[in-house]
Amino acid sequence: MEESTSLKQANGISVPHCTNTKESLERVKNNRPTPKNEEHNVWNNAFLLLLCTFLTVALLLILEGCRPPSEPWLLLGSGITKLWDWGALQVVVTFTVLQGVLYCLPFGKVIEGKVGHDGRCIKYSMNGLHALSVTLLLLAALWQRGIFRASMISGQVPQLVMACAAVSLLLSIALYLRSFRARPQQLVNYGHKGNFLQAFALGRERDPSIGGIDMKLFVMVRIGFIGWALVDICYLLTEIEERGWPSPPLLLVVIFQMIYILDFLIDEESVLPTKEYTEDGIGFLMILGEYIWIPFYSSVPGYFLLHRPTHLNPIAVTLICLIFGIGFIVYYLSNSQKDGFRKNPNDPAFAHLETLSSPSGRKLLVSSWFGWVRHPNYLGDILMTLAWCLPCGFASVLPYLPALQCTNLLRGRAAEIEKACSSKHGAAWREYCRRVPYKLVPYVY
């Protein structure tokens, strides 16, 4: 989403499968911030302005296309006046405040991340799973007592998107103004190409914290992923309210996505070594992406099925479950192997794995999962995303947009990683590519 996520992989979980025992603690556990004299990459101003202006509109158009053709479009004629709803704004503000309160509760563990500008490690509260549990329990209690109806959410998704965009804008303005009180070493250096648009959209301050809440972790995990889970659950509850039971296609979508979200929250600390945390600032694009793109774009298949239900026979259900299961196994096991090898390559569990020594002093893992394709974790991610789009059938391409975006995003990220690895590891990386010629799909690509 979208500041960088296919979801989890696009949120930056993309550390190469190589390690060095000398650098492990420094680069993985403590992740140094970008040196203040190093210029950060800048985006094309026209493209940046286009994203800031039309990202919300693009999402609204996708959501409109998911509704039955017989229904009038909200973006045309008098319907556009219905896009703003003060009740939707209250929902978004309440959800934001709730997540802020849950972030501060003494649940879960506190992890030390990268070294901050003051020379001390920044501490992060890893209680996202607890926050999700409390939020879902609160939602279930309100729904069971009849105080809350899920159709209050699913019935005004466009209005919620507009409210989220408004809150994102206000929060971005607040962080931008706050950054003028920060020390120079806390700011992202955009060099001579930097301007207001770059600083506002991409972020001026690298590690802003408000009231003890790390804003990057807050918007990426608490707003983005917990918001996504709530939207999914509300779609499911809406079908129960209207039909008495959930349809198998929608149930599959929600179960698959909840498994993905839970896996992310269980391993929440895995985001800390990523570029988004160690180098980038937090600006309007990241905040907007987490408020609207992760919760509402990622759940487009569920929204589509809610408005245009489909039917799946037992064979189709079995095949879709098989695709998701294979994807999750590949994704989970390859990530576990990569992370374990990166942290401790001398672990006896990896003694049977073949490696290549790099001139940089690192070791490249070239067997097992990474002897199959060079980015097996990305392949697993793509298969899972495809699996939760398939229940929508083939009447429209719209519910497949998340899978298409995921594939394109991870393909591009793989290319970035390979370019960096080729530069760093030289002949060792070229030998690895010779041994394992396929990036994502065996014998295909």
Side-chain angles (χ1 to χ4, degrees):
M1 283 137 29
E2 160 106 267
E3 100 291 338
S4 47
T5 212
S6 126
L7 321 176
K8 183 175 179 181
Q9 291 292 356
N11 268 312
I13 317 300
S14 57
V15 183
H17 52 283
C18 51
T19 189
N20 177 275
T21 53
K22 183 178 179 179
E23 294 182 352
S24 179
L25 178 64
E26 183 179 3
R27 294 299 296 168
V28 176
K29 183 178 178 181
N30 292 334
N31 282 286
R32 297 187 304 268
T34 303
K36 63 180 180 180
N37 61 343
E38 181 178 327
E39 290 189 8
H40 194 280
N41 293 333
V42 297
W43 291 28
N44 179 276
N45 286 324
F47 179 67
L48 202 56
L49 183 61
L50 187 67
L51 276 180
C52 292
T53 308
F54 293 106
L55 191 64
T56 303
V57 176
L59 177 58
L60 289 173
L61 288 172
I62 292 171
L63 293 171
E64 285 291 295
C66 291
R67 300 167 65 207
S70 58
E71 295 185 8
W73 280 51
L74 290 177
L75 295 181
L76 298 176
S78 60
I80 197 169
T81 61
K82 301 177 182 178
L83 282 176
W84 182 258
D85 182 82
W86 289 103
L89 180 63
Q90 292 176 359
V91 170
V92 175
V93 172
T94 301
F95 170 70
T96 302
V97 172
L98 174 63
Q99 295 311 310
V101 171
L102 294 177
Y103 184 99
C104 298
L105 293 181
F107 299 124
K109 56 186 177 180
V110 176
I111 296 293
E112 290 186 346
K114 72 176 186 180
V115 177
H117 68 280
D118 56 359
R120 295 181 295 181
C121 290
I122 299 175
K123 294 183 178 181
Y124 299 93
S125 178
M126 297 286 114
N127 62 0
L129 189 61
H130 299 80
L132 174 64
S133 301
V134 173
T135 304
L136 291 180
L137 287 173
L138 181 60
L139 178 71
L142 294 174
W143 184 73
Q144 184 66 33
R145 290 181 173 272
I147 301 174
F148 167 80
R149 286 184 60 82
S151 56
M152 296 166 57
I153 302 298
S154 61
Q156 55 175 2
V157 170
Q159 292 82 1
L160 288 169
V161 169
M162 290 296 296
C164 285
V167 171
S168 300
L169 179 61
L170 293 175
L171 185 56
S172 300
I173 292 173
L175 289 179
Y176 180 79
L177 295 177
R178 179 188 182 280
S179 68
F180 287 96
R181 296 187 300 171
R183 298 178 182 178
Q185 58 267 39
Q186 294 176 269
L187 304 179
V188 179
N189 177 21
Y190 293 105
H192 67 281
K193 295 182 179 180
N195 51 43
F196 166 77
L197 181 60
Q198 299 283 336
F200 180 74
L202 301 181
R204 192 165 185 266
E205 188 174 357
R206 187 174 286 117
D207 303 301
S209 177
I210 298 179
I213 299 175
D214 179 80
M215 294 309 297
K216 283 184 181 178
L217 190 66
F218 178 71
V219 298
M220 183 178 289
V221 179
R222 309 310 160 85
I223 299 301
F225 277 79
I226 294 181
W228 180 12
L230 288 183
V231 170
D232 271 352
I233 295 299
C234 284
Y235 290 163
L236 195 65
L237 293 178
T238 298
E239 231 184 20
I240 295 176
E241 291 172 358
E242 295 177 351
R243 302 184 178 99
W245 63 86
S247 66
L250 182 57
L251 189 61
L252 283 179
V253 172
V254 173
I255 290 175
F256 291 164
Q257 293 192 347
M258 287 302 296
I259 290 174
Y260 191 91
I261 293 168
L262 287 172
D263 175 71
F264 178 86
L265 293 177
I266 290 171
D267 194 26
E268 186 180 0
E269 62 190 84
S270 63
V271 301
L272 299 184
T274 64
K275 179 176 178 292
E276 285 77 10
Y277 276 80
T278 60
E279 299 179 17
D280 293 351
I282 172 173
F284 178 64
L285 272 185
M286 178 183 287
I287 296 172
L288 182 67
E290 300 301 337
Y291 263 98
I292 71 170
W293 209 249
I294 294 294
F296 297 107
Y297 180 75
S298 301
S299 60
V300 159
Y303 188 77
F304 181 90
L305 288 171
L306 194 62
H307 290 276
R308 297 162 71 173
T310 61
H311 173 75
L312 294 176
N313 59 49
I315 296 178
V317 171
T318 302
L319 290 176
I320 292 172
C321 290
L322 187 62
I323 292 173
F324 181 84
I326 293 173
F328 184 78
I329 290 172
V330 172
Y331 169 84
Y332 181 80
L333 293 182
S334 61
N335 267 324
S336 297
Q337 186 179 76
K338 176 196 66 178
D339 294 339
F341 181 78
R342 190 183 71 230
K343 292 176 182 178
N344 182 14
N346 297 317
D347 191 316
F350 306 121
H352 66 287
L353 300 180
E354 185 178 359
T355 62
L356 287 174
S357 296
S358 165
S360 66
R362 291 173 176 256
K363 293 180 180 179
L364 298 179
L365 181 60
V366 299
S367 62
S368 189
W369 290 107
F370 293 91
W372 187 39
V373 290
R374 299 201 291 270
H375 304 278
N377 49 336
Y378 288 3
L379 173 60
D381 203 344
I382 292 170
L383 288 175
M384 286 190 292
T385 308
L386 175 63
W388 66 57
C389 296
L390 286 173
C392 298
F394 303 101
S396 173
V397 71
L398 291 178
Y400 289 89
L401 290 180
L404 293 174
Q405 185 202 25
C406 171
T407 302
N408 184 61
L409 190 65
L410 294 183
R411 183 185 61 83
R413 186 175 287 275
E416 292 176 5
I417 291 175
E418 298 216 350
K419 182 178 179 180
C421 287
S422 177
S423 175
K424 186 168 189 176
H425 305 299
W429 183 260
R430 290 191 293 273
E431 172 61 19
Y432 172 54
C433 291
R434 186 191 67 80
R435 295 191 188 187
V436 186
Y438 302 104
K439 291 183 180 180
L440 291 174
V441 184
Y443 306 106
V444 178
Y445 176 77

